[in-house]
Amino acid sequence: MNILISSTSGEPIYAQIVTQVRQLILQGELGAGTPLPSIRQLAKELQISVITTKRAYEELEREGLINSIVGKGSFVSGADQEFIKEQRLRILEMKLKEVSEESRQLGLSYAELAEMLKLIYEEEQE
Protein backbone atom coordinates (compact mmCIF):
# COMPACT_ATOMS: atom_id res chain seq x y z
CA MET A 1 0.00 0.00 0.00
CA ASN A 2 1.60 3.22 -1.16
CA ILE A 3 0.41 6.33 0.70
CA LEU A 4 1.93 9.72 0.02
CA ILE A 5 1.71 12.45 2.63
CA SER A 6 2.04 16.09 1.66
CA SER A 7 3.21 18.49 4.33
CA THR A 8 2.23 21.44 2.13
CA SER A 9 -1.36 20.28 1.68
CA GLY A 10 -3.95 22.13 3.71
CA GLU A 11 -5.59 18.77 4.43
CA PRO A 12 -4.77 17.13 7.80
CA ILE A 13 -2.48 14.10 7.60
CA TYR A 14 -5.11 11.68 8.94
CA ALA A 15 -7.55 12.89 6.25
CA GLN A 16 -4.91 12.34 3.54
CA ILE A 17 -4.55 8.74 4.72
CA VAL A 18 -8.33 8.24 4.81
CA THR A 19 -8.76 9.68 1.32
CA GLN A 20 -6.03 7.53 -0.22
CA VAL A 21 -7.04 4.26 1.49
CA ARG A 22 -10.73 4.94 0.64
CA GLN A 23 -9.76 5.46 -2.99
CA LEU A 24 -7.73 2.22 -3.10
CA ILE A 25 -10.68 0.30 -1.67
CA LEU A 26 -13.35 1.88 -3.87
CA GLN A 27 -11.25 1.37 -6.99
CA GLY A 28 -10.89 -2.29 -6.10
CA GLU A 29 -7.12 -2.17 -5.62
CA LEU A 30 -7.62 -3.36 -2.03
CA GLY A 31 -10.14 -6.18 -2.00
CA ALA A 32 -12.29 -7.51 0.84
CA GLY A 33 -10.20 -9.21 3.50
CA THR A 34 -6.94 -7.55 2.48
CA PRO A 35 -4.89 -6.85 5.61
CA LEU A 36 -3.76 -3.28 6.18
CA PRO A 37 -0.44 -2.41 7.82
CA SER A 38 -0.67 -2.20 11.60
CA ILE A 39 -1.21 1.25 13.04
CA ARG A 40 2.35 1.29 14.38
CA GLN A 41 3.83 -0.01 11.14
CA LEU A 42 2.06 2.59 8.99
CA ALA A 43 3.02 5.37 11.41
CA LYS A 44 6.65 4.27 11.20
CA GLU A 45 6.58 4.05 7.37
CA LEU A 46 5.02 7.49 7.03
CA GLN A 47 7.09 8.94 9.89
CA ILE A 48 4.00 10.27 11.64
CA SER A 49 2.36 9.87 15.02
CA VAL A 50 0.62 6.61 15.93
CA ILE A 51 -2.30 8.77 17.11
CA THR A 52 -2.68 10.21 13.61
CA THR A 53 -2.71 6.76 12.02
CA LYS A 54 -5.18 5.49 14.63
CA ARG A 55 -7.50 8.40 13.87
CA ALA A 56 -7.39 7.57 10.14
CA TYR A 57 -8.18 3.89 10.76
CA GLU A 58 -11.05 4.85 13.09
CA GLU A 59 -12.54 7.07 10.38
CA LEU A 60 -12.28 4.30 7.78
CA GLU A 61 -13.96 1.93 10.23
CA ARG A 62 -16.80 4.43 10.84
CA GLU A 63 -17.32 4.56 7.07
CA GLY A 64 -17.60 0.76 7.03
CA LEU A 65 -14.59 0.35 4.74
CA ILE A 66 -12.36 -1.52 7.18
CA ASN A 67 -12.78 -3.78 10.20
CA SER A 68 -10.33 -3.85 13.08
CA ILE A 69 -9.96 -7.00 15.14
CA VAL A 70 -8.09 -6.69 18.44
CA GLY A 71 -4.91 -8.71 18.33
CA LYS A 72 -5.23 -9.49 14.61
CA GLY A 73 -5.17 -6.12 12.87
CA SER A 74 -7.24 -4.16 10.37
CA PHE A 75 -8.71 -5.57 7.18
CA VAL A 76 -10.69 -4.24 4.23
CA SER A 77 -14.30 -4.99 5.06
CA GLY A 78 -16.47 -7.27 2.99
CA ALA A 79 -18.90 -4.42 2.31
CA ASP A 80 -21.42 -5.41 -0.30
CA GLN A 81 -20.81 -4.36 -3.87
CA GLU A 82 -23.91 -2.11 -3.91
CA PHE A 83 -22.46 -0.06 -1.03
CA ILE A 84 -19.11 0.25 -2.77
CA LYS A 85 -20.83 1.24 -6.02
CA GLU A 86 -22.79 3.96 -4.19
CA GLN A 87 -19.59 5.32 -2.67
CA ARG A 88 -17.87 5.36 -6.07
CA LEU A 89 -20.87 7.12 -7.63
CA ARG A 90 -20.71 9.77 -4.91
CA ILE A 91 -17.04 10.38 -5.70
CA LEU A 92 -17.83 10.56 -9.42
CA GLU A 93 -20.58 13.11 -8.76
CA MET A 94 -18.13 15.31 -6.83
CA LYS A 95 -15.64 15.15 -9.70
CA LEU A 96 -18.34 15.96 -12.25
CA LYS A 97 -19.45 18.98 -10.19
CA GLU A 98 -15.86 20.19 -10.21
CA VAL A 99 -15.62 19.73 -14.00
CA SER A 100 -18.97 21.46 -14.47
CA GLU A 101 -17.89 24.48 -12.43
CA GLU A 102 -14.57 24.71 -14.28
CA SER A 103 -16.26 24.48 -17.68
CA ARG A 104 -18.66 27.30 -16.73
CA GLN A 105 -15.73 29.46 -15.67
CA LEU A 106 -14.14 28.81 -19.07
CA GLY A 107 -17.37 29.76 -20.80
CA LEU A 108 -17.94 26.31 -22.34
CA SER A 109 -21.47 25.39 -23.34
CA TYR A 110 -23.09 22.15 -22.22
CA ALA A 111 -22.79 20.85 -25.80
CA GLU A 112 -19.03 21.57 -25.85
CA LEU A 113 -18.55 19.89 -22.48
CA ALA A 114 -20.61 16.87 -23.54
CA GLU A 115 -18.58 16.55 -26.74
CA MET A 116 -15.32 16.66 -24.77
CA LEU A 117 -16.57 13.97 -22.42
CA LYS A 118 -17.74 11.83 -25.33
CA LEU A 119 -14.34 12.08 -27.03
CA ILE A 120 -12.45 11.22 -23.85
CA TYR A 121 -14.79 8.32 -23.04
CA GLU A 122 -14.47 6.87 -26.54
CA GLU A 123 -10.70 7.39 -26.59
CA GLU A 124 -10.35 5.36 -23.38
CA GLN A 125 -12.19 2.43 -24.97
CA GLU A 126 -9.74 2.07 -27.84
Side-chain angles (χ1 to χ4, degrees), residues 5-40:
I5 300 299
S6 170
S7 58
T8 59
S9 169
E11 187 177 27
I13 293 172
Y14 85 91
Q16 291 179 49
I17 295 168
V18 170
T19 299
Q20 291 177 54
V21 172
R22 181 189 306 123
Q23 190 170 23
L24 291 170
I25 293 169
L26 297 179
Q27 290 175 344
E29 291 182 38
L30 292 176
T34 302
L36 298 177
S38 72
I39 290 171
R40 291 185 194 286

Side-chain angles (χ1 to χ4, degrees), residues 14-15 18 21-22 25 36 51-68 74-77 79 83 87 90:
Y14 85 91
V18 170
V21 172
R22 181 189 306 123
I25 293 169
L36 298 177
I51 295 168
T52 302
T53 308
K54 186 175 189 294
R55 185 172 179 188
Y57 276 31
E58 287 172 348
E59 180 66 28
L60 290 163
E61 196 163 7
R62 267 194 296 280
E63 290 182 19
L65 294 172
I66 69 169
N67 296 317
S68 295
S74 298
F75 303 85
V76 176
S77 77
F83 171 76
Q87 294 285 34
R90 187 173 58 89

Side-chain angles (χ1 to χ4, degrees), residues 1-124:
M1 187 167 69
N2 190 18
I3 296 178
L4 302 173
I5 300 299
S6 170
S7 58
T8 59
S9 169
E11 187 177 27
I13 293 172
Y14 85 91
Q16 291 179 49
I17 295 168
V18 170
T19 299
Q20 291 177 54
V21 172
R22 181 189 306 123
Q23 190 170 23
L24 291 170
I25 293 169
L26 297 179
Q27 290 175 344
E29 291 182 38
L30 292 176
T34 302
L36 298 177
S38 72
I39 290 171
R40 291 185 194 286
Q41 181 184 357
L42 185 60
K44 185 177 178 182
E45 287 175 15
L46 298 177
Q47 298 180 344
I48 59 172
S49 164
V50 171
I51 295 168
T52 302
T53 308
K54 186 175 189 294
R55 185 172 179 188
Y57 276 31
E58 287 172 348
E59 180 66 28
L60 290 163
E61 196 163 7
R62 267 194 296 280
E63 290 182 19
L65 294 172
I66 69 169
N67 296 317
S68 295
I69 302 168
V70 177
K72 295 201 179 215
S74 298
F75 303 85
V76 176
S77 77
D80 67 26
Q81 292 303 313
E82 201 56 39
F83 171 76
I84 290 175
K85 183 177 180 179
E86 280 299 316
Q87 294 285 34
R88 291 181 73 185
L89 284 171
R90 187 173 58 89
I91 291 169
L92 179 61
E93 286 174 6
M94 290 186 318
K95 290 178 180 178
L96 287 172
K97 280 183 181 180
E98 200 175 299
V99 167
S100 177
E101 290 172 14
E102 184 71 22
S103 65
R104 282 193 182 109
Q105 290 177 1
L106 290 170
L108 292 177
S109 69
Y110 173 77
E112 291 170 318
L113 178 60
E115 182 61 27
M116 284 178 71
L117 179 59
K118 181 182 176 204
L119 289 170
I120 291 169
Y121 187 83
E122 290 172 349
E123 182 178 288
E124 292 296 317

